[in-house]
Amino acid sequence: QVQLVESGGGLVQPGGSLSLSCAASGRTFRWYIMGWFRQALGKEREFVAGIRWSSDDTAYADSVKGRFTISRDNVLNTMYLRMNNLKPEDTAVYYCAANPMTTRITTRTTDYDYWGQGTQVTVSS
């Protein structure tokens, strides 16, 4: 059974930085697409960033491009999201997700079969 466990959320001031981690277990993720999504209060879950586990292919939402960086460690089976220059509008619960079906990075939540429990990120002064 696939398990995804996020960590690293918290409270940060505008302009600050945070790093999130997603520890993956239970399956070989070599052929998976992995993604970070977020859901703000009262809003739909949205794509933030994605990475192909077997390569350096990445994709970002326009709202985070240039500020967030997604990466993964194949040995540790862990995915990361480095978030710089955080804004109040980045406040949300952040989820990591695994997509075993497509070969390209997709932004649709329905393409991702496995989800973590989420970690809260709050950007506020």
Side-chain angles (χ1 to χ4, degrees), residues 56-86:
D56 291 329
D57 291 346
T58 58
Y60 296 92
D62 287 344
S63 59
V64 306
K65 207 171 288 184
R67 299 188 297 122
F68 290 11
T69 302
I70 189 172
S71 62
R72 83 277 185 258
D73 185 316
N74 290 346
V75 174
L76 297 178
N77 252 14
T78 301
M79 179 175 66
Y80 305 97
L81 186 68
R82 176 65 177 176
M83 305 182 292
N84 295 327
N85 190 21
L86 283 160

Side-chain angles (χ1 to χ4, degrees), residues 1-58:
Q1 187 71 11
V2 173
Q3 277 197 317
L4 303 174
V5 180
E6 303 98 336
S7 61
L11 173 64
V12 64
Q13 291 187 341
S17 298
L18 271 179
S19 289
L20 305 182
S21 299
C22 173
S25 62
R27 188 75 55 96
T28 299
F29 294 91
R30 182 178 179 185
W31 307 113
Y32 280 36
I33 301 295
M34 303 292 293
W36 286 100
F37 289 75
R38 66 187 181 187
Q39 188 165 17
L41 199 61
K43 295 188 176 181
E44 292 188 353
R45 193 169 297 188
E46 63 176 3
F47 173 82
V48 174
I51 189 167
R52 189 198 302 264
W53 197 266
S54 60
S55 74
D56 291 329
D57 291 346
T58 58

Side-chain angles (χ1 to χ4, degrees), residues 6 9 20 36-41 44-46 48 90-96 115-122:
E6 303 98 336
L20 305 182
W36 286 100
F37 289 75
R38 66 187 181 187
Q39 188 165 17
L41 199 61
E44 292 188 353
R45 193 169 297 188
E46 63 176 3
V48 174
D90 294 318
T91 295
V93 177
Y94 283 70
Y95 298 90
C96 69
W115 294 83
Q117 82 287 353
T119 185
Q120 176 70 46
V121 172
T122 302

